Amino acid sequence: MAIEPQHITKLKEIAGPKGWSDDQTIIAPHLVEPRDKFSGVTPLLLLPDSTQNVSKLVTYCNQNKIKVVPQGGNTGLVGGGVPDGSGNEIIINLKRLNKIRSEDVLNHTITVDSGVILSDLHDAVEKINFQFPLHLASEGSTMIGGNISTNAGGINVLHYGVTRDLILGLEIVLPSGEILSDLTGLRKDNTGYDLKQLFIGAEGTLGIVTGATLKLYPSHLQKNTAFVAIKNPQSAIELLSLARKISGDNLIAFEILPRIGLDFTIKHMAGCCDPLAEKYPWYILMECATSLEKDLLDLEILLERILETALNKDLVLDGVIAKNMAETKALWNLRESMSEAQKFEGGSIKHDISVPVSKIPQFIELASAAVIKKLPGIRPVPFGHIGDGNIHFNLSQPLGMEKSEYLALWQQINSIVHDIVHSLGGSISAEHGIGILKVQELERYKPEIDLKIMRTLKKAIDPNNIMNPGRVISLK
Ligand SMILES: Cc1cc2nc3c(=O)[nH]c(=O)nc-3n(C[C@H](O)[C@H](O)[C@H](O)COP(=O)(O)OP(=O)(O)OC[C@H]3O[C@@H](n4cnc5c(N)ncnc54)[C@H](O)[C@@H]3O)c2cc1C
């Protein structure tokens, strides 16, 4: 049912003069997600600047059964943060809720509004000589509330964990409009159910995150990056294990790149070039970091020791260690451009999967063979966070095939890959979430009891089903 005009008027009144827009040119960027795979329409974009205002808006929506899509930086990749095509959903975007609320340096915590952009948070934290170790290629626009709601991963999960591991407390506006708040910054609190955990990774289906208390870590005083060539994914996981042991757990990133992905990146992305003279089938981008001074631990020597040992064991074929920040950036640019570069090669069918680290080689072998059998000429580009068992198993279309014909195979190919993931005890969504894209796939693989509990929780917290309906879990 279309939203009645008097509700739009009332919501504008509650939001205040700067707190809304119905100008479709302003709304347009909020309607499409980055991969252009999902887009929708809405008559109203709400831009509250306080938790109280979010609460009033949601209360009104709940009373009048108006559907709400919470939105942060709109960098999500599964269609969870944009409205559907009905025109019956309004967006509540958190970008005006963007204050650093307080710092507690002796508690190693910071409390922020949920609309703070991740890179702004990094800058704020750096000023007080700390670091917040969540790093994604989208950090210049993604917001901490979005990161919490997707339980974002990124490149330093290996050492610091996913977003869930970095959260000490949340403030949430529930679908009823009530505010659930625990921003005390306690590290120990065993007083019953840990409610905040429900909202981390809920993709806006259980409420709107408005504030968070986050863990801070000592700043890195040394960081060293290496780019090495390897034979195959089996060498990658053996190198990973070796590097973790030798580094004394100072390994913070470990990413795999296939030659084909590097070829695409060098061909299509400005300023990208081959770091090594020879070509090899696979590469690892690895980084060690520490907050220790060099006289206590020399990271350069440590990284050299790792690579020397790996060379002697035939795990590494060639490599280079970045000598300065410019070289480090150039190496990371190769990794961060890899997804974008695939756009120039036609259609790309994506998978964001995880399996136990030890099973990655088996996964890549089985899944590549299966998709090539289904569609000869398909070009697998498996890359990403191998240190976490998380591969972006992207598949570029065969050369010369019609893009639309190829993309029509999206679900069939997803099923082939996800069946293999499932058989290896893995997850069909390692870090990007479920959104709209994977609702059916979730139902296919989650045990019935898990789905039953998810639906029970959703109905208990959001009985009118106003909060991001249809995303993550269908109610049936
Ligand atoms: C180039 C690129 C690189 C990326 N790399 C990574 C990566 O390495 N790791 C990774 O995990 N992800 C990655 N992503 C995906 C994306 O950046 C993350 O999912 C990010 O956490 C989304 O944050 P956002 O603020 O953009 O949220 P949005 O896209 O606005 O929203 C995402 C979901 O969260 C909900 N939501 C947003 N804000 C709130 C809130 N305050 N309260 C309740 N619900 C809310 C939305 O409804 C939606 O369901 C990448 C994306 C791009 C474009």
Side-chain angles (χ1 to χ4, degrees):
M1 208 171 58
I3 305 170
E4 291 168 26
Q6 80 265 19
H7 290 323
I8 302 280
T9 308
K10 188 66 193 172
L11 284 167
K12 288 176 181 173
E13 195 186 305
I14 298 170
K18 290 186 185 158
W20 59 272
S21 178
D22 59 5
D23 178 341
Q24 288 298 327
T25 53
I26 291 174
I27 293 178
H30 297 270
L31 301 177
V32 192
E33 61 117 67
R35 276 186 194 150
D36 288 340
K37 194 164 165 58
F38 296 94
S39 61
V41 289
T42 187
L44 189 62
L45 168 69
L46 292 169
L47 299 159
D49 67 351
S50 71
T51 302
Q52 291 306 327
N53 198 224
V54 176
S55 164
K56 283 181 190 159
L57 291 166
V58 172
T59 302
Y60 186 86
C61 288
N62 190 44
Q63 282 163 355
N64 296 286
K65 299 194 172 57
I66 297 166
K67 296 172 189 164
V68 172
V69 178
Q71 191 181 68
N74 192 19
T75 67
L77 300 172
V78 289
V82 289
D84 64 17
S86 67
N88 297 336
E89 297 181 331
I90 55 144
I91 301 172
I92 298 190
N93 183 290
L94 282 302
K95 68 177 160 192
R96 290 178 73 225
L97 207 67
N98 60 0
K99 308 251 174 345
I100 304 287
R101 295 192 191 175
S102 62
E103 294 140 0
D104 186 343
V105 288
L106 293 181
N107 198 35
H108 286 215
T109 54
I110 189 164
T111 298
V112 299
D113 284 350
S114 66
V116 171
I117 291 177
L118 184 55
S119 58
D120 291 345
L121 176 62
H122 292 148
D123 293 346
V125 160
E126 211 178 288
K127 282 191 190 132
I128 51 168
N129 295 319
F130 281 100
Q131 56 138 339
F132 181 65
L134 176 65
H135 288 282
L136 324 174
S138 53
E139 64 194 32
S141 37
T142 183
M143 293 172 193
I144 189 67
N147 305 145
I148 291 165
S149 303
T150 54
N151 188 26
I155 55 173
N156 294 155
V157 170
L158 182 60
H159 190 75
Y160 294 99
V162 290
T163 302
R164 188 183 298 283
D165 299 307
L166 307 174
I167 306 295
L168 286 179
L170 290 184
E171 177 189 83
I172 300 136
V173 172
L174 298 172
S176 60
E178 291 163 293
I179 300 168
L180 182 68
S181 180
D182 172 16
L183 299 175
T184 48
L186 293 180
R187 281 183 163 72
K188 286 186 151 185
D189 178 15
N190 280 350
T191 53
Y193 307 141
D194 187 357
L195 295 177
K196 68 176 174 296
Q197 299 298 346
L198 269 181
F199 301 87
I200 302 173
E203 298 179 54
T205 58
L206 298 179
I208 300 185
V209 177
T210 49
T213 299
L214 312 169
K215 287 185 199 169
L216 297 180
Y217 289 82
S219 302
H220 289 142
L221 297 182
Q222 300 176 68
K223 199 183 261 187
N224 289 69
T225 311
F227 183 86
V228 299
I230 54 165
K231 259 190 304 229
N232 52 38
Q234 182 62 31
S235 304
I237 60 166
E238 288 176 28
L239 173 63
L240 169 68
S241 178
L242 181 114
R244 291 189 77 173
K245 283 180 191 155
I246 297 183
S247 74
D249 217 15
N250 284 303
L251 184 69
I252 63 160
F254 196 88
E255 302 279 314
I256 193 164
L257 294 78
R259 181 67 223 180
I260 185 174
L262 201 61
D263 282 340
F264 290 174
T265 307
I266 292 165
K267 185 171 163 198
H268 300 298
M269 307 303 288
C272 290
C273 56
D274 228 320
L276 303 174
E278 303 268 322
K279 289 188 177 186
Y280 297 92
W282 296 89
Y283 302 91
I284 293 293
L285 181 58
M286 59 196 281
E287 196 157 79
C288 289
T290 178
S291 55
L292 293 175
E293 301 275 2
K294 210 166 178 147
D295 58 341
L296 289 174
L297 173 72
D298 189 329
L299 221 49
E300 229 173 302
I301 294 177
L302 189 82
L303 193 55
E304 279 166 8
R305 173 71 61 83
I306 293 171
L307 298 187
E308 237 175 67
T309 316
L311 269 167
N312 290 337
K313 287 177 180 281
D314 246 4
L315 292 177
V316 162
L317 307 172
D318 195 358
V320 60
I321 296 179
K323 289 190 287 298
N324 50 45
M325 192 47 94
E327 287 187 12
T328 303
K329 274 192 175 163
L331 292 178
W332 274 107
N333 194 29
L334 292 173
R335 161 64 184 90
E336 284 170 357
S337 308
M338 190 145 286
S339 196
E340 181 74 13
Q342 289 160 42
K343 282 189 185 165
F344 299 92
E345 291 288 326
S348 173
I349 296 180
K350 320 271 186 192
H351 306 85
D352 163 41
I353 66 91
S354 66
V355 293
V357 171
S358 52
K359 292 187 176 165
I360 288 272
Q362 202 184 348
F363 165 74
I364 293 180
E365 197 185 322
L366 288 175
S368 301
V371 296
I372 289 168
K373 187 171 171 213
K374 164 84 183 157
L375 185 65
I378 197 169
R379 294 172 293 164
V381 191
F383 72 102
H385 318 299
I386 190 171
D388 316 322
N390 175 196
I391 294 291
H392 298 314
F393 191 69
N394 289 0
L395 302 167
S396 284
Q397 67 170 75
L399 290 168
M401 188 173 181
E402 261 311 305
K403 184 175 173 183
S404 56
E405 196 190 331
Y406 176 66
L407 292 180
L409 297 172
W410 191 293
Q411 268 177 356
Q412 285 180 48
I413 289 186
N414 274 184
S415 294
I416 292 171
V417 173
H418 289 163
D419 280 354
I420 293 167
V421 169
H422 190 63
S423 74
L424 296 174
S427 164
I428 60 157
S429 180
E431 60 175 10
H432 296 160
I434 298 298
I436 290 281
L437 182 67
K438 294 186 186 165
V439 174
Q440 282 174 358
E441 289 293 90
L442 185 87
E443 282 180 11
R444 215 166 114 99
Y445 298 106
K446 272 259 184 218
E448 205 44 52
I449 181 69
D450 295 44
L451 295 171
K452 187 172 138 190
I453 293 172
M454 285 173 79
R455 289 191 179 108
T456 305
L457 285 168
K458 170 73 177 164
K459 286 176 188 167
I461 295 173
D462 184 15
N464 289 328
N465 194 22
I466 61 151
M467 201 52 77
N468 232 1
R471 282 75 172 179
V472 182
I473 183 87
S474 72
L475 288 184
K476 288 206 160 153

